[in-house]
Amino acid sequence: MKRLVYPVICAAICFASCQKNSSEVTPKTKNDTTTTSTVKSNVTTNLDNTAMLKMVNDVRATGCTCGTTAMPPVAPLTWNDVLASAALEHSQDMSATGQFSHNSSDGTSFSDRITAAGYTNWRAIGENIAFGYTTEQAVFNGWIHSEGHCRNIMNASFKEMGAAKVGTYWTQDFGAKQ
């Protein structure tokens, strides 16, 4: 019997006040790399970074309705390799363990995981995850048609984004530095 797999999505958001145990996290050393046109990344994200960033920025430029809430246009995001690295690590973990959660299989929260990847001194972070989608367009459509995910994409507090996938496990991390 063939097992049917239905796409699944989940969103989380955190502002600096909810960062816990960050003093216990030892950040890895990574370089922040951002661009606004073609995304040049040192992280193998297994997706078309430029297409993903363009879809996000196109909807941010025009605004949209998230659930029943009209969201006005907001500034574009830039690509961030540290966030992409955190996203890749989480997608790898979800794929390896079959778990679908914002917490890593060892119980690490998404805020501690993003901090440990080297995204420090943040004032806001957020994360969208998904499972079962096969293309950037499909996962983006899933996220933009889900109120919580859409709100992450349209959140004016976020300035940067990184994303990655492993198999059909997707992670999209957002952030803004203090």
Side-chain angles (χ1 to χ4, degrees):
M1 174 179 247
K2 184 176 179 181
R3 182 177 163 218
L4 295 176
V5 177
Y6 295 97
V8 181
I9 52 181
C10 189
I13 188 168
C14 189
F15 291 90
S17 62
C18 74
Q19 182 180 10
K20 64 177 189 173
N21 300 327
S22 63
S23 61
E24 298 171 11
V25 176
T26 305
K28 299 172 189 170
T29 304
K30 302 210 178 181
N31 293 327
D32 286 341
T33 304
T34 58
T35 63
T36 55
S37 55
T38 300
V39 175
K40 295 175 184 156
S41 178
N42 295 318
V43 179
T44 303
T45 63
N46 304 312
L47 56 85
D48 184 336
N49 304 337
T50 301
M52 180 64 74
L53 185 62
K54 181 178 181 345
M55 285 184 275
V56 168
N57 283 336
D58 284 352
V59 75
R60 285 175 67 92
T62 59
C64 68
T65 300
C66 297
T68 59
T69 305
M71 305 293 288
V74 293
L77 300 175
T78 56
W79 187 264
N80 182 286
D81 266 356
V82 175
L83 291 172
S85 180
L88 178 63
E89 181 180 326
H90 192 53
S91 291
Q92 288 169 334
D93 182 59
M94 289 191 297
S95 178
T97 63
Q99 293 182 335
F100 182 71
S101 172
H102 289 285
N103 288 339
S104 299
S105 60
D106 66 1
T108 303
S109 69
F110 85 97
S111 59
D112 286 344
R113 180 174 24 83
I114 289 171
T115 302
Y119 198 78
T120 57
N121 298 319
W122 52 264
R123 64 177 166 81
I125 56 172
E127 180 170 84
N128 289 341
I129 59 174
F131 169 73
Y133 294 91
T134 57
T135 67
E136 290 82 354
Q137 186 67 59
V139 76
F140 177 79
N141 288 344
W143 283 330
I144 206 66
H145 291 104
S146 164
E147 186 169 358
H149 301 90
C150 180
R151 285 177 177 265
N152 270 350
I153 290 169
M154 294 302 297
N155 190 323
S157 295
F158 299 143
K159 307 300 179 197
E160 301 173 302
M161 181 191 91
K165 73 171 183 143
V166 174
T168 59
Y169 287 90
W170 300 76
T171 306
Q172 182 182 44
D173 286 332
F174 302 95
K177 299 278 187 141
Q178 292 187 15

PDB file of all heavy atoms in Angstrom, residues 34-75:
ATOM      1  N   THR A  34      24.849  39.220   2.192  1.00  0.00           N
ATOM      2  CA  THR A  34      23.536  39.575   1.683  1.00  0.00           C
ATOM      3  C   THR A  34      23.662  40.237   0.324  1.00  0.00           C
ATOM      4  O   THR A  34      24.650  40.900   0.031  1.00  0.00           O
ATOM      5  CB  THR A  34      22.812  40.536   2.644  1.00  0.00           C
ATOM      6  OG1 THR A  34      23.614  41.699   2.810  1.00  0.00           O
ATOM      7  CG2 THR A  34      22.566  39.898   3.988  1.00  0.00           C
ATOM      8  N   THR A  35      22.672  39.994  -0.525  1.00  0.00           N
ATOM      9  CA  THR A  35      22.593  40.658  -1.820  1.00  0.00           C
ATOM     10  C   THR A  35      21.137  40.971  -2.090  1.00  0.00           C
ATOM     11  O   THR A  35      20.253  40.462  -1.424  1.00  0.00           O
ATOM     12  CB  THR A  35      23.146  39.761  -2.957  1.00  0.00           C
ATOM     13  OG1 THR A  35      22.326  38.598  -3.030  1.00  0.00           O
ATOM     14  CG2 THR A  35      24.584  39.376  -2.741  1.00  0.00           C
ATOM     15  N   THR A  36      20.897  41.785  -3.096  1.00  0.00           N
ATOM     16  CA  THR A  36      19.519  42.143  -3.392  1.00  0.00           C
ATOM     17  C   THR A  36      19.041  41.625  -4.741  1.00  0.00           C
ATOM     18  O   THR A  36      17.858  41.600  -4.980  1.00  0.00           O
ATOM     19  CB  THR A  36      19.347  43.678  -3.354  1.00  0.00           C
ATOM     20  OG1 THR A  36      20.288  44.261  -4.251  1.00  0.00           O
ATOM     21  CG2 THR A  36      19.558  44.208  -1.961  1.00  0.00           C
ATOM     22  N   SER A  37      19.927  41.220  -5.655  1.00  0.00           N
ATOM     23  CA  SER A  37      19.447  40.709  -6.934  1.00  0.00           C
ATOM     24  C   SER A  37      19.676  39.201  -6.971  1.00  0.00           C
ATOM     25  O   SER A  37      18.946  38.450  -6.344  1.00  0.00           O
ATOM     26  CB  SER A  37      20.137  41.425  -8.091  1.00  0.00           C
ATOM     27  OG  SER A  37      21.536  41.337  -7.963  1.00  0.00           O
ATOM     28  N   THR A  38      20.684  38.734  -7.695  1.00  0.00           N
ATOM     29  CA  THR A  38      20.980  37.316  -7.711  1.00  0.00           C
ATOM     30  C   THR A  38      21.646  36.952  -6.397  1.00  0.00           C
ATOM     31  O   THR A  38      22.624  37.572  -5.997  1.00  0.00           O
ATOM     32  CB  THR A  38      21.908  36.964  -8.896  1.00  0.00           C
ATOM     33  OG1 THR A  38      21.237  37.324 -10.101  1.00  0.00           O
ATOM     34  CG2 THR A  38      22.232  35.502  -8.904  1.00  0.00           C
ATOM     35  N   VAL A  39      21.115  35.954  -5.741  1.00  0.00           N
ATOM     36  CA  VAL A  39      21.647  35.550  -4.445  1.00  0.00           C
ATOM     37  C   VAL A  39      22.895  34.708  -4.665  1.00  0.00           C
ATOM     38  O   VAL A  39      22.844  33.667  -5.311  1.00  0.00           O
ATOM     39  CB  VAL A  39      20.607  34.755  -3.637  1.00  0.00           C
ATOM     40  CG1 VAL A  39      21.209  34.230  -2.356  1.00  0.00           C
ATOM     41  CG2 VAL A  39      19.399  35.625  -3.350  1.00  0.00           C
ATOM     42  N   LYS A  40      23.998  35.186  -4.140  1.00  0.00           N
ATOM     43  CA  LYS A  40      25.249  34.434  -4.151  1.00  0.00           C
ATOM     44  C   LYS A  40      25.446  33.928  -2.732  1.00  0.00           C
ATOM     45  O   LYS A  40      25.614  34.698  -1.806  1.00  0.00           O
ATOM     46  CB  LYS A  40      26.405  35.319  -4.595  1.00  0.00           C
ATOM     47  CG  LYS A  40      26.263  35.785  -6.020  1.00  0.00           C
ATOM     48  CD  LYS A  40      27.334  36.759  -6.413  1.00  0.00           C
ATOM     49  CE  LYS A  40      27.051  37.247  -7.810  1.00  0.00           C
ATOM     50  NZ  LYS A  40      27.632  38.535  -8.098  1.00  0.00           N
ATOM     51  N   SER A  41      25.383  32.615  -2.587  1.00  0.00           N
ATOM     52  CA  SER A  41      25.429  32.038  -1.260  1.00  0.00           C
ATOM     53  C   SER A  41      26.569  31.044  -1.148  1.00  0.00           C
ATOM     54  O   SER A  41      26.885  30.327  -2.097  1.00  0.00           O
ATOM     55  CB  SER A  41      24.102  31.333  -0.966  1.00  0.00           C
ATOM     56  OG  SER A  41      24.123  30.719   0.290  1.00  0.00           O
ATOM     57  N   ASN A  42      27.187  31.012   0.011  1.00  0.00           N
ATOM     58  CA  ASN A  42      28.218  30.026   0.302  1.00  0.00           C
ATOM     59  C   ASN A  42      27.629  28.788   0.965  1.00  0.00           C
ATOM     60  O   ASN A  42      28.350  27.895   1.360  1.00  0.00           O
ATOM     61  CB  ASN A  42      29.287  30.639   1.215  1.00  0.00           C
ATOM     62  CG  ASN A  42      30.032  31.755   0.536  1.00  0.00           C
ATOM     63  OD1 ASN A  42      30.390  31.662  -0.630  1.00  0.00           O
ATOM     64  ND2 ASN A  42      30.254  32.841   1.249  1.00  0.00           N
ATOM     65  N   VAL A  43      26.304  28.756   1.093  1.00  0.00           N
ATOM     66  CA  VAL A  43      25.602  27.648   1.729  1.00  0.00           C
ATOM     67  C   VAL A  43      24.864  26.859   0.650  1.00  0.00           C
ATOM     68  O   VAL A  43      24.171  27.437  -0.174  1.00  0.00           O
ATOM     69  CB  VAL A  43      24.589  28.170   2.777  1.00  0.00           C
ATOM     70  CG1 VAL A  43      23.834  27.022   3.423  1.00  0.00           C
ATOM     71  CG2 VAL A  43      25.296  29.013   3.822  1.00  0.00           C
ATOM     72  N   THR A  44      25.031  25.548   0.646  1.00  0.00           N
ATOM     73  CA  THR A  44      24.310  24.697  -0.285  1.00  0.00           C
ATOM     74  C   THR A  44      22.918  24.468   0.280  1.00  0.00           C
ATOM     75  O   THR A  44      22.722  23.630   1.157  1.00  0.00           O
ATOM     76  CB  THR A  44      25.039  23.356  -0.486  1.00  0.00           C
ATOM     77  OG1 THR A  44      26.359  23.624  -0.936  1.00  0.00           O
ATOM     78  CG2 THR A  44      24.320  22.483  -1.489  1.00  0.00           C
ATOM     79  N   THR A  45      21.962  25.244  -0.194  1.00  0.00           N
ATOM     80  CA  THR A  45      20.613  25.247   0.374  1.00  0.00           C
ATOM     81  C   THR A  45      19.670  24.248  -0.294  1.00  0.00           C
ATOM     82  O   THR A  45      18.573  24.041   0.192  1.00  0.00           O
ATOM     83  CB  THR A  45      20.005  26.652   0.262  1.00  0.00           C
ATOM     84  OG1 THR A  45      19.895  26.979  -1.133  1.00  0.00           O
ATOM     85  CG2 THR A  45      20.828  27.685   1.013  1.00  0.00           C
ATOM     86  N   ASN A  46      20.073  23.689  -1.417  1.00  0.00           N
ATOM     87  CA  ASN A  46      19.262  22.735  -2.176  1.00  0.00           C
ATOM     88  C   ASN A  46      17.989  23.361  -2.740  1.00  0.00           C
ATOM     89  O   ASN A  46      17.011  22.658  -2.996  1.00  0.00           O
ATOM     90  CB  ASN A  46      18.908  21.507  -1.321  1.00  0.00           C
ATOM     91  CG  ASN A  46      20.144  20.836  -0.767  1.00  0.00           C
ATOM     92  OD1 ASN A  46      21.092  20.579  -1.497  1.00  0.00           O
ATOM     93  ND2 ASN A  46      20.156  20.592   0.528  1.00  0.00           N
ATOM     94  N   LEU A  47      18.006  24.674  -2.910  1.00  0.00           N
ATOM     95  CA  LEU A  47      16.870  25.351  -3.529  1.00  0.00           C
ATOM     96  C   LEU A  47      17.383  26.524  -4.341  1.00  0.00           C
ATOM     97  O   LEU A  47      18.557  26.867  -4.296  1.00  0.00           O
ATOM     98  CB  LEU A  47      15.828  25.790  -2.494  1.00  0.00           C
ATOM     99  CG  LEU A  47      16.238  26.700  -1.329  1.00  0.00           C
ATOM    100  CD1 LEU A  47      16.223  28.162  -1.703  1.00  0.00           C
ATOM    101  CD2 LEU A  47      15.280  26.474  -0.177  1.00  0.00           C
ATOM    102  N   ASP A  48      16.494  27.121  -5.103  1.00  0.00           N
ATOM    103  CA  ASP A  48      16.825  28.303  -5.888  1.00  0.00           C
ATOM    104  C   ASP A  48      16.649  29.518  -4.980  1.00  0.00           C
ATOM    105  O   ASP A  48      15.537  30.022  -4.812  1.00  0.00           O
ATOM    106  CB  ASP A  48      15.927  28.385  -7.121  1.00  0.00           C
ATOM    107  CG  ASP A  48      16.267  29.544  -8.050  1.00  0.00           C
ATOM    108  OD1 ASP A  48      16.866  30.549  -7.579  1.00  0.00           O
ATOM    109  OD2 ASP A  48      15.911  29.465  -9.233  1.00  0.00           O
ATOM    110  N   ASN A  49      17.743  29.952  -4.369  1.00  0.00           N
ATOM    111  CA  ASN A  49      17.702  31.057  -3.402  1.00  0.00           C
ATOM    112  C   ASN A  49      17.128  32.328  -4.023  1.00  0.00           C
ATOM    113  O   ASN A  49      16.340  33.032  -3.381  1.00  0.00           O
ATOM    114  CB  ASN A  49      19.104  31.360  -2.867  1.00  0.00           C
ATOM    115  CG  ASN A  49      19.768  30.158  -2.249  1.00  0.00           C
ATOM    116  OD1 ASN A  49      19.116  29.219  -1.815  1.00  0.00           O
ATOM    117  ND2 ASN A  49      21.089  30.171  -2.198  1.00  0.00           N
ATOM    118  N   THR A  50      17.536  32.618  -5.239  1.00  0.00           N
ATOM    119  CA  THR A  50      17.080  33.827  -5.907  1.00  0.00           C
ATOM    120  C   THR A  50      15.567  33.789  -6.114  1.00  0.00           C
ATOM    121  O   THR A  50      14.869  34.780  -5.844  1.00  0.00           O
ATOM    122  CB  THR A  50      17.809  34.024  -7.246  1.00  0.00           C
ATOM    123  OG1 THR A  50      19.221  34.112  -6.987  1.00  0.00           O
ATOM    124  CG2 THR A  50      17.347  35.275  -7.969  1.00  0.00           C
ATOM    125  N   ALA A  51      15.054  32.657  -6.562  1.00  0.00           N
ATOM    126  CA  ALA A  51      13.609  32.534  -6.786  1.00  0.00           C
ATOM    127  C   ALA A  51      12.842  32.674  -5.476  1.00  0.00           C
ATOM    128  O   ALA A  51      11.820  33.367  -5.420  1.00  0.00           O
ATOM    129  CB  ALA A  51      13.281  31.199  -7.456  1.00  0.00           C
ATOM    130  N   MET A  52      13.333  32.033  -4.413  1.00  0.00           N
ATOM    131  CA  MET A  52      12.639  32.110  -3.122  1.00  0.00           C
ATOM    132  C   MET A  52      12.623  33.541  -2.603  1.00  0.00           C
ATOM    133  O   MET A  52      11.581  34.043  -2.183  1.00  0.00           O
ATOM    134  CB  MET A  52      13.306  31.185  -2.100  1.00  0.00           C
ATOM    135  CG  MET A  52      12.656  31.204  -0.725  1.00  0.00           C
ATOM    136  SD  MET A  52      10.961  30.598  -0.680  1.00  0.00           S
ATOM    137  CE  MET A  52      11.236  28.853  -0.846  1.00  0.00           C
ATOM    138  N   LEU A  53      13.763  34.214  -2.654  1.00  0.00           N
ATOM    139  CA  LEU A  53      13.832  35.592  -2.173  1.00  0.00           C
ATOM    140  C   LEU A  53      12.959  36.510  -3.022  1.00  0.00           C
ATOM    141  O   LEU A  53      12.279  37.389  -2.507  1.00  0.00           O
ATOM    142  CB  LEU A  53      15.280  36.081  -2.152  1.00  0.00           C
ATOM    143  CG  LEU A  53      15.518  37.470  -1.565  1.00  0.00           C
ATOM    144  CD1 LEU A  53      15.105  37.522  -0.088  1.00  0.00           C
ATOM    145  CD2 LEU A  53      16.992  37.852  -1.717  1.00  0.00           C
ATOM    146  N   LYS A  54      12.931  36.262  -4.336  1.00  0.00           N
ATOM    147  CA  LYS A  54      12.114  37.089  -5.224  1.00  0.00           C
ATOM    148  C   LYS A  54      10.622  36.923  -4.910  1.00  0.00           C
ATOM    149  O   LYS A  54       9.888  37.919  -4.846  1.00  0.00           O
ATOM    150  CB  LYS A  54      12.389  36.754  -6.690  1.00  0.00           C
ATOM    151  CG  LYS A  54      11.576  37.614  -7.659  1.00  0.00           C
ATOM    152  CD  LYS A  54      11.908  37.299  -9.093  1.00  0.00           C
ATOM    153  CE  LYS A  54      11.159  38.118 -10.108  1.00  0.00           C
ATOM    154  NZ  LYS A  54      10.017  38.871  -9.740  1.00  0.00           N
ATOM    155  N   MET A  55      10.181  35.697  -4.697  1.00  0.00           N
ATOM    156  CA  MET A  55       8.763  35.487  -4.377  1.00  0.00           C
ATOM    157  C   MET A  55       8.394  36.229  -3.090  1.00  0.00           C
ATOM    158  O   MET A  55       7.350  36.884  -3.023  1.00  0.00           O
ATOM    159  CB  MET A  55       8.455  33.997  -4.244  1.00  0.00           C
ATOM    160  CG  MET A  55       8.379  33.282  -5.567  1.00  0.00           C
ATOM    161  SD  MET A  55       7.902  31.554  -5.394  1.00  0.00           S
ATOM    162  CE  MET A  55       9.492  30.805  -5.077  1.00  0.00           C
ATOM    163  N   VAL A  56       9.257  36.127  -2.090  1.00  0.00           N
ATOM    164  CA  VAL A  56       9.009  36.806  -0.817  1.00  0.00           C
ATOM    165  C   VAL A  56       8.987  38.316  -1.018  1.00  0.00           C
ATOM    166  O   VAL A  56       8.063  39.003  -0.573  1.00  0.00           O
ATOM    167  CB  VAL A  56      10.061  36.400   0.236  1.00  0.00           C
ATOM    168  CG1 VAL A  56      10.013  37.300   1.455  1.00  0.00           C
ATOM    169  CG2 VAL A  56       9.865  34.941   0.637  1.00  0.00           C
ATOM    170  N   ASN A  57       9.985  38.837  -1.704  1.00  0.00           N
ATOM    171  CA  ASN A  57      10.065  40.290  -1.875  1.00  0.00           C
ATOM    172  C   ASN A  57       8.983  40.838  -2.798  1.00  0.00           C
ATOM    173  O   ASN A  57       8.527  41.971  -2.607  1.00  0.00           O
ATOM    174  CB  ASN A  57      11.463  40.697  -2.338  1.00  0.00           C
ATOM    175  CG  ASN A  57      12.440  40.675  -1.191  1.00  0.00           C
ATOM    176  OD1 ASN A  57      12.066  40.798  -0.018  1.00  0.00           O
ATOM    177  ND2 ASN A  57      13.716  40.522  -1.505  1.00  0.00           N
ATOM    178  N   ASP A  58       8.546  40.055  -3.777  1.00  0.00           N
ATOM    179  CA  ASP A  58       7.455  40.504  -4.642  1.00  0.00           C
ATOM    180  C   ASP A  58       6.181  40.713  -3.839  1.00  0.00           C
ATOM    181  O   ASP A  58       5.488  41.727  -3.999  1.00  0.00           O
ATOM    182  CB  ASP A  58       7.206  39.509  -5.782  1.00  0.00           C
ATOM    183  CG  ASP A  58       8.251  39.582  -6.878  1.00  0.00           C
ATOM    184  OD1 ASP A  58       9.106  40.496  -6.855  1.00  0.00           O
ATOM    185  OD2 ASP A  58       8.213  38.700  -7.773  1.00  0.00           O
ATOM    186  N   VAL A  59       5.852  39.781  -2.952  1.00  0.00           N
ATOM    187  CA  VAL A  59       4.636  39.933  -2.162  1.00  0.00           C
ATOM    188  C   VAL A  59       4.818  41.009  -1.094  1.00  0.00           C
ATOM    189  O   VAL A  59       3.880  41.738  -0.782  1.00  0.00           O
ATOM    190  CB  VAL A  59       4.155  38.585  -1.564  1.00  0.00           C
ATOM    191  CG1 VAL A  59       5.005  38.146  -0.401  1.00  0.00           C
ATOM    192  CG2 VAL A  59       2.700  38.660  -1.167  1.00  0.00           C
ATOM    193  N   ARG A  60       6.024  41.150  -0.558  1.00  0.00           N
ATOM    194  CA  ARG A  60       6.273  42.222   0.411  1.00  0.00           C
ATOM    195  C   ARG A  60       6.111  43.591  -0.262  1.00  0.00           C
ATOM    196  O   ARG A  60       5.662  44.540   0.372  1.00  0.00           O
ATOM    197  CB  ARG A  60       7.669  42.079   1.035  1.00  0.00           C
ATOM    198  CG  ARG A  60       7.748  40.959   2.065  1.00  0.00           C
ATOM    199  CD  ARG A  60       9.166  40.741   2.579  1.00  0.00           C
ATOM    200  NE  ARG A  60       9.678  41.850   3.371  1.00  0.00           N
ATOM    201  CZ  ARG A  60       9.591  41.949   4.690  1.00  0.00           C
ATOM    202  NH1 ARG A  60       8.979  40.995   5.386  1.00  0.00           N
ATOM    203  NH2 ARG A  60      10.105  42.984   5.332  1.00  0.00           N
ATOM    204  N   ALA A  61       6.480  43.699  -1.530  1.00  0.00           N
ATOM    205  CA  ALA A  61       6.403  44.981  -2.243  1.00  0.00           C
ATOM    206  C   ALA A  61       4.960  45.398  -2.530  1.00  0.00           C
ATOM    207  O   ALA A  61       4.666  46.595  -2.583  1.00  0.00           O
ATOM    208  CB  ALA A  61       7.182  44.895  -3.554  1.00  0.00           C
ATOM    209  N   THR A  62       4.080  44.428  -2.718  1.00  0.00           N
ATOM    210  CA  THR A  62       2.701  44.758  -3.077  1.00  0.00           C
ATOM    211  C   THR A  62       1.743  44.682  -1.894  1.00  0.00           C
ATOM    212  O   THR A  62       0.664  45.259  -1.947  1.00  0.00           O
ATOM    213  CB  THR A  62       2.184  43.812  -4.175  1.00  0.00           C
ATOM    214  OG1 THR A  62       2.252  42.464  -3.701  1.00  0.00           O
ATOM    215  CG2 THR A  62       3.001  43.958  -5.438  1.00  0.00           C
ATOM    216  N   GLY A  63       2.137  43.960  -0.850  1.00  0.00           N
ATOM    217  CA  GLY A  63       1.241  43.719   0.265  1.00  0.00           C
ATOM    218  C   GLY A  63       0.295  42.583  -0.083  1.00  0.00           C
ATOM    219  O   GLY A  63       0.226  42.140  -1.231  1.00  0.00           O
ATOM    220  N   CYS A  64      -0.404  42.068   0.897  1.00  0.00           N
ATOM    221  CA  CYS A  64      -1.338  40.968   0.662  1.00  0.00           C
ATOM    222  C   CYS A  64      -2.260  40.842   1.865  1.00  0.00           C
ATOM    223  O   CYS A  64      -2.146  41.594   2.832  1.00  0.00           O
ATOM    224  CB  CYS A  64      -0.588  39.659   0.413  1.00  0.00           C
ATOM    225  SG  CYS A  64       0.296  39.026   1.839  1.00  0.00           S
ATOM    226  N   THR A  65      -3.145  39.886   1.807  1.00  0.00           N
ATOM    227  CA  THR A  65      -4.031  39.609   2.935  1.00  0.00           C
ATOM    228  C   THR A  65      -3.615  38.281   3.546  1.00  0.00           C
ATOM    229  O   THR A  65      -3.562  37.257   2.859  1.00  0.00           O
ATOM    230  CB  THR A  65      -5.500  39.557   2.481  1.00  0.00           C
ATOM    231  OG1 THR A  65      -5.833  40.825   1.911  1.00  0.00           O
ATOM    232  CG2 THR A  65      -6.424  39.269   3.646  1.00  0.00           C
ATOM    233  N   CYS A  66      -3.280  38.311   4.818  1.00  0.00           N
ATOM    234  CA  CYS A  66      -2.903  37.111   5.566  1.00  0.00           C
ATOM    235  C   CYS A  66      -4.121  36.694   6.380  1.00  0.00           C
ATOM    236  O   CYS A  66      -4.469  37.374   7.356  1.00  0.00           O
ATOM    237  CB  CYS A  66      -1.717  37.373   6.486  1.00  0.00           C
ATOM    238  SG  CYS A  66      -0.194  37.814   5.626  1.00  0.00           S
ATOM    239  N   GLY A  67      -4.780  35.635   5.959  1.00  0.00           N
ATOM    240  CA  GLY A  67      -6.033  35.255   6.615  1.00  0.00           C
ATOM    241  C   GLY A  67      -7.074  36.313   6.327  1.00  0.00           C
ATOM    242  O   GLY A  67      -7.456  36.523   5.180  1.00  0.00           O
ATOM    243  N   THR A  68      -7.478  37.036   7.361  1.00  0.00           N
ATOM    244  CA  THR A  68      -8.438  38.129   7.172  1.00  0.00           C
ATOM    245  C   THR A  68      -7.803  39.495   7.407  1.00  0.00           C
ATOM    246  O   THR A  68      -8.497  40.504   7.406  1.00  0.00           O
ATOM    247  CB  THR A  68      -9.632  37.951   8.141  1.00  0.00           C
ATOM    248  OG1 THR A  68      -9.127  37.944   9.475  1.00  0.00           O
ATOM    249  CG2 THR A  68     -10.392  36.665   7.859  1.00  0.00           C
ATOM    250  N   THR A  69      -6.473  39.520   7.593  1.00  0.00           N
ATOM    251  CA  THR A  69      -5.783  40.767   7.897  1.00  0.00           C
ATOM    252  C   THR A  69      -5.062  41.305   6.666  1.00  0.00           C
ATOM    253  O   THR A  69      -4.204  40.620   6.095  1.00  0.00           O
ATOM    254  CB  THR A  69      -4.753  40.556   9.028  1.00  0.00           C
ATOM    255  OG1 THR A  69      -5.412  39.984  10.149  1.00  0.00           O
ATOM    256  CG2 THR A  69      -4.085  41.861   9.412  1.00  0.00           C
ATOM    257  N   ALA A  70      -5.404  42.520   6.269  1.00  0.00           N
ATOM    258  CA  ALA A  70      -4.706  43.176   5.157  1.00  0.00           C
ATOM    259  C   ALA A  70      -3.336  43.607   5.642  1.00  0.00           C
ATOM    260  O   ALA A  70      -3.208  44.292   6.655  1.00  0.00           O
ATOM    261  CB  ALA A  70      -5.505  44.375   4.660  1.00  0.00           C
ATOM    262  N   MET A  71      -2.312  43.189   4.927  1.00  0.00           N
ATOM    263  CA  MET A  71      -0.933  43.532   5.267  1.00  0.00           C
ATOM    264  C   MET A  71      -0.403  44.513   4.229  1.00  0.00           C
ATOM    265  O   MET A  71      -0.383  44.195   3.034  1.00  0.00           O
ATOM    266  CB  MET A  71      -0.063  42.276   5.300  1.00  0.00           C
ATOM    267  CG  MET A  71      -0.562  41.168   6.230  1.00  0.00           C
ATOM    268  SD  MET A  71      -0.504  41.593   7.970  1.00  0.00           S
ATOM    269  CE  MET A  71       1.242  41.534   8.284  1.00  0.00           C
ATOM    270  N   PRO A  72       0.013  45.709   4.657  1.00  0.00           N
ATOM    271  CA  PRO A  72       0.511  46.695   3.705  1.00  0.00           C
ATOM    272  C   PRO A  72       1.886  46.294   3.171  1.00  0.00           C
ATOM    273  O   PRO A  72       2.562  45.438   3.753  1.00  0.00           O
ATOM    274  CB  PRO A  72       0.608  47.963   4.551  1.00  0.00           C
ATOM    275  CG  PRO A  72       0.844  47.465   5.937  1.00  0.00           C
ATOM    276  CD  PRO A  72       0.061  46.188   6.039  1.00  0.00           C
ATOM    277  N   PRO A  73       2.302  46.923   2.090  1.00  0.00           N
ATOM    278  CA  PRO A  73       3.651  46.663   1.586  1.00  0.00           C
ATOM    279  C   PRO A  73       4.704  46.974   2.657  1.00  0.00           C
ATOM    280  O   PRO A  73       4.520  47.866   3.482  1.00  0.00           O
ATOM    281  CB  PRO A  73       3.784  47.628   0.402  1.00  0.00           C
ATOM    282  CG  PRO A  73       2.378  47.918  -0.006  1.00  0.00           C
ATOM    283  CD  PRO A  73       1.574  47.877   1.263  1.00  0.00           C
ATOM    284  N   VAL A  74       5.785  46.215   2.626  1.00  0.00           N
ATOM    285  CA  VAL A  74       6.909  46.409   3.549  1.00  0.00           C
ATOM    286  C   VAL A  74       8.209  46.305   2.765  1.00  0.00           C
ATOM    287  O   VAL A  74       8.226  45.854   1.621  1.00  0.00           O
ATOM    288  CB  VAL A  74       6.883  45.385   4.714  1.00  0.00           C
ATOM    289  CG1 VAL A  74       5.689  45.624   5.623  1.00  0.00           C
ATOM    290  CG2 VAL A  74       6.882  43.955   4.210  1.00  0.00           C
ATOM    291  N   ALA A  75       9.292  46.738   3.383  1.00  0.00           N
ATOM    292  CA  ALA A  75      10.601  46.743   2.731  1.00  0.00           C
ATOM    293  C   ALA A  75      11.047  45.331   2.349  1.00  0.00           C
ATOM    294  O   ALA A  75      10.696  44.360   3.021  1.00  0.00           O
ATOM    295  CB  ALA A  75      11.634  47.391   3.658  1.00  0.00           C
TER     296      ALA A  75
END
